[in-house]
Amino acid sequence: MSEAIEQTGARYPLLAKRTSKRWLITAAVTTAIVALPVLSVLILALFPEENIWPHLLDTTLPRYLVTTLQLMAGVAFITLVIGLASAWAVTMCDFPGRKFFEWAMLLPFAVPAYVIAYVYTSLLDYAGPVQTAMRDWFGWYNAADYWFPEIRSLEGATLMIGLVLYPYVYLLARAAFLEQSPSLFAVSRSLGHSAISTFFRVVLPIARPAVAVGLSLVLMETLNDFGTVDFFAVQTLTAGLFDTWMNLGNLGGAAQIATTMLAFVVILVTLERYSRRKQQQFAARDNREPIRRFTLSRPRQWVCVAVCAVPVIFGFLLPAATLGHYAWEYFDESWNPDFVRNTLNSLFLSGTAALTTLIIGVTLAYSRRLHDTRGMRVMMRLSSLGYAMPGAVLAVGVIVPLAGFDNWVDGILRDNFGVSSGLLLSGTAFALVFAYTVRFLAVSAGSVESALQKITPSMDMASRSLGHTPGNTLLKVHLPMLRGTLITAALVVFVDCMKELPATLILRPFNFETLATYVYQFASDEKLAHSALPALIIVLAGIIPIILMSKSISDTRAIS
């Protein structure tokens, strides 16, 4: 085999060298374009046209920081408790409905936080059915006669976001539990430890790296949220960015708040890596053997049922049922040309972004396979920066270079031809697709890279020995083998784009709406029932990837 490869390289030395170099250059250019928004935010924050940073420090920024930290701390607590408890229960305990909860625990993933916030506001507000029924039952006449928790508050936002983000912790914790050795549980049992004691003394310390990754994702998504905090009037950094840009008209100040948010992201990533700096784990020899679940008493079985059922009911079933009821009741009003047009807009943007991220992700991952150098690994990390950027921050980073390009072209045309080019990139659908691609590129690139690592290098050698170029090898050998991974990655990116709100609100063209912004507009006008149908479409679109993810995890380990 090696002789055949050498002969191929000797026969086409220039072709092989040029082809390989083209992949490297393509990866470098792509990485530079993807990393451009981050650089734009930093430059604009350091050199704003009007520096309002001292004013922000003296007035609103401390409040934004404190509220953001409180929100993140509360969401972290909720997601850790629900995610860890449910992951341990469905993995290691025997109770009624366990197989159903294995995948049902992921269903809240399909519900955007702002949608669940709208639903519970309509249910729990003063004029909602819950408080109305309470006044009827107990004979109360107004709010002064009783106390009821305020849903539109920091605590309400914390609960809403926590209910839909705990699957991050559940997903990664369960995967980590499934990878652990059954002998650990056997030893723990032989020493007389109960299921709870085994969890805290044995399982959780080993799963800590995976839990840390899940928690960091939760906190970054919390930082990214705008729809919930805006609807509940919670003044976080994201809300402050929108207020500074949209209401005060100061892009430089928005970039400075965006830089503060980026600092949060850097701190989160650093803490996540620091927490597992001294941990190096290897797969156990018996990690494919069936796990023997703990046999629990009847009361403890029902505790497990409650632990799993409560987040599924309040995080998915109740919101979905409410949306379904409103969608059916207001179907004739909701199904109109605006709804159809906005649905097509969402499908077009999400489909285009999914295809774009897939193409770029395959290019970057395959370039690293061809050039597995330190520089290429750095480029892969840079290309993944967008996933850690909140949508509002990304919007700032996207609008600056695109607007600069539009102004540059417009200036040339005005000076030389006396005509204006208008908006070529900014304020168009291109800006949205570009933002989506930068934000979710890490999903496709990471999935493809992980799948490519499982393909033996001998496949490449055999193809090259037959005279195929790297491009032909990718098309004829790798892509057919990666079909399942590519479909899953495209679906996940598609659903993420369907739900994306902050970047879409800022970058969408004039008189252009997606389902996410359509729902947001209705909710802002207090027409929650009319937002049910588009919100339900967003939720239903997210269920298929959830089922695929659950199946892929369950298939990794047999459980007896």
Side-chain angles (χ1 to χ4, degrees):
M1 179 69 72
S2 61
E3 293 179 359
I5 296 174
E6 291 176 2
Q7 290 175 3
T8 303
R11 188 181 303 172
Y12 308 105
L14 292 178
L15 177 61
K17 187 174 182 180
R18 288 175 183 172
T19 305
S20 183
K21 186 179 292 186
R22 287 172 189 165
W23 282 93
L24 186 60
I25 294 173
T26 302
V29 172
T30 302
T31 302
I33 295 174
V34 170
L36 184 60
V38 180
L39 183 62
S40 300
V41 170
L42 295 177
I43 292 177
L44 186 59
L46 292 174
F47 307 102
E49 293 183 3
E50 180 184 356
N51 186 18
I52 64 170
W53 184 250
H55 174 72
L56 291 174
L57 283 175
D58 293 337
T59 55
T60 57
L61 191 60
R63 182 170 68 252
Y64 294 151
L65 286 171
V66 171
T67 306
T68 301
L69 289 173
Q70 291 175 334
L71 180 66
M72 295 171 70
V75 172
F77 175 78
I78 291 174
T79 54
L80 276 177
V81 171
I82 298 177
L84 289 176
S86 57
W88 172 249
V90 300
T91 305
M92 294 303 305
C93 300
D94 191 10
F95 61 95
R98 183 189 62 82
K99 288 187 177 295
F100 166 76
F101 288 116
E102 280 185 357
W103 61 270
M105 294 302 302
L106 294 173
L107 287 175
F109 243 151
V111 187
Y114 55 86
V115 169
I116 200 174
Y118 304 155
V119 169
Y120 279 105
T121 298
S122 68
L123 293 176
L124 302 178
D125 223 355
Y126 178 79
V130 174
Q131 292 200 51
T132 301
M134 290 177 60
R135 290 193 295 271
D136 292 339
W137 290 341
F138 298 104
W140 295 326
Y141 293 100
N142 53 55
D145 296 334
Y146 64 98
W147 176 86
F148 195 84
E150 177 57 52
I151 183 66
R152 300 198 191 200
S153 61
L154 175 62
E155 294 76 16
T158 302
L159 181 59
M160 298 299 101
I161 297 174
L163 278 175
V164 299
L165 292 185
Y166 79 82
Y168 278 114
V169 176
Y170 167 81
L171 193 68
L172 294 173
R174 182 169 175 249
F177 296 161
L178 288 171
E179 288 294 323
Q180 294 185 16
S181 170
S183 60
L184 295 174
F185 309 130
V187 170
S188 179
R189 289 175 180 177
S190 67
L191 294 175
H193 291 291
S194 64
I196 296 178
S197 177
T198 300
F199 172 76
F200 284 106
R201 292 175 177 266
V202 179
V203 177
L204 187 57
I206 298 176
R208 191 179 68 182
V211 175
V213 173
L215 185 60
S216 65
L217 291 173
V218 166
L219 294 178
M220 284 190 282
E221 288 295 330
T222 303
L223 193 62
N224 177 60
D225 181 85
F226 172 72
T228 306
V229 297
D230 176 67
F231 191 64
F232 284 1
V234 177
Q235 296 182 323
T236 62
L237 285 170
T238 304
L241 189 155
F242 270 81
D243 183 63
T244 304
W245 189 355
M246 299 302 179
N247 296 332
L248 299 181
N250 193 301
L251 184 57
Q256 290 170 336
I257 296 178
T259 305
T260 306
M261 297 174 70
L262 284 178
F264 266 79
V265 172
V266 171
I267 292 172
L268 288 174
V269 173
T270 303
L271 289 176
E272 181 268 320
R273 293 186 177 179
Y274 181 81
S275 68
R276 54 187 175 93
R277 68 195 184 282
K278 295 182 180 180
Q279 291 197 1
Q280 186 175 12
Q281 300 178 9
F282 301 93
R285 293 182 179 180
D286 58 348
N287 71 338
R288 296 296 174 183
E289 295 181 5
I291 294 176
R292 296 187 179 277
R293 298 190 302 273
F294 290 98
T295 301
L296 305 178
S297 61
R298 182 65 64 178
R300 290 185 177 183
Q301 288 182 17
W302 289 110
V303 169
C304 289
V305 172
V307 165
C308 297
V310 169
V312 173
I313 291 172
F314 290 99
F316 179 79
L317 295 180
L318 184 57
T322 304
L323 290 175
H325 170 72
Y326 284 145
W328 178 263
E329 187 175 353
Y330 292 87
F331 182 82
D332 292 336
E333 299 178 40
S334 300
W335 189 278
N336 53 50
D338 287 340
F339 167 74
V340 175
R341 181 173 59 253
N342 297 333
T343 302
L344 293 176
N345 289 342
S346 288
L347 294 175
F348 168 74
L349 290 174
S350 301
T352 304
L355 180 61
T356 305
T357 55
L358 212 57
I359 294 173
I360 296 177
V362 169
T363 301
L364 292 175
Y366 191 60
S367 298
R368 180 178 176 181
R369 185 177 179 88
L370 296 175
H371 303 274
D372 192 11
T373 61
R374 179 179 296 178
M376 193 64 225
R377 289 193 289 271
V378 170
M379 284 193 285
M380 287 294 295
R381 290 184 179 179
L382 288 175
S383 67
S384 301
L385 285 176
Y387 194 67
M389 294 177 66
V393 176
L394 184 60
V396 176
V398 167
I399 200 68
V400 172
L402 295 188
F405 176 82
D406 286 348
N407 292 333
W408 175 70
V409 173
D410 186 69
I412 293 177
L413 292 178
R414 286 178 181 272
D415 293 340
N416 294 278
F417 304 100
V419 297
S420 175
S421 62
L423 298 178
L424 299 176
L425 299 180
S426 60
T428 66
F430 175 85
L432 282 173
V433 173
F434 180 49
Y436 292 165
T437 301
V438 174
R439 175 133 167 75
F440 302 116
L441 178 60
V443 176
S444 62
S447 300
V448 175
E449 183 183 12
S450 177
L452 277 175
Q453 290 176 351
K454 299 177 182 179
I455 299 178
T456 174
S458 61
M459 303 290 287
D460 301 67
M461 297 177 185
S463 177
R464 297 298 296 276
S465 68
L466 295 174
H468 290 292
T469 64
N472 286 333
T473 301
L474 174 64
L475 291 174
K476 296 182 178 181
V477 177
H478 294 305
L479 290 186
M481 300 177 67
L482 296 174
R483 183 174 57 184
T485 298
L486 297 177
I487 293 175
T488 302
L491 282 172
V492 172
V493 172
F494 180 87
V495 172
D496 283 337
C497 293
M498 290 279 288
K499 297 190 295 184
E500 173 59 37
L501 179 63
T504 310
L505 280 174
I506 295 175
L507 297 174
R508 73 190 191 277
F510 183 70
N511 283 336
F512 184 94
E513 303 287 347
T514 64
L515 286 177
T517 61
Y518 194 49
V519 171
Y520 172 79
Q521 295 294 344
F522 272 123
S524 300
D525 296 336
E526 300 294 336
K527 297 179 179 179
L528 299 174
H530 293 80
S531 69
L533 183 60
L536 190 62
I537 298 299
I538 296 175
V539 172
L540 293 177
I543 293 179
I544 296 177
I546 286 173
I547 296 174
L548 292 176
M549 283 190 291
S550 178
K551 185 177 184 301
S552 65
I553 292 177
S554 299
D555 291 345
T556 61
R557 186 69 173 270
I559 303 178
S560 65

